[in-house]
Amino acid sequence: MEKITIIAEKCKSCGYCVAVCPKKILEIGEEINKMGYQYAFARNAEDCISCRACATICPEAAIELWK
């Protein structure tokens, strides 16, 4: 089961989540959502430690985490 889910349609590509991830698993992708933004995704999501830094800093509440 994935620990992190990014709701692509809410993401506005601010990059805050990428900046705060201690494991550096988040990146801004090349694909575009319906609002016209490139959105974040988790590369190597299995390395997520569920620290919640990304979800806490996300101004759009586009990130969900589970332990």
Side-chain angles (χ1 to χ4, degrees):
M1 182 166 108
E2 282 194 35
K3 295 180 184 178
I4 183 168
T5 300
I6 299 172
I7 304 164
E9 295 310 317
K10 285 185 172 184
C11 181
K12 290 189 177 174
S13 193
C14 67
Y16 294 154
C17 60
V18 175
V20 300
C21 179
K23 300 299 276 181
K24 305 298 181 204
I25 65 165
L26 299 173
E27 299 178 16
I28 302 296
E30 297 294 321
E31 295 185 38
I32 306 290
N33 64 18
K34 291 180 183 175
M35 296 186 301
Y37 295 101
Q38 292 173 302
Y39 53 88
F41 74 100
R43 182 176 306 276
N44 302 321
E46 64 276 1
D47 293 338
C48 177
I49 58 172
S50 298
C51 69
R52 303 198 49 79
C54 59
T56 301
I57 202 165
C58 180
E60 303 303 322
I63 303 173
E64 297 175 351
L65 287 132
W66 296 272
K67 279 194 169 187

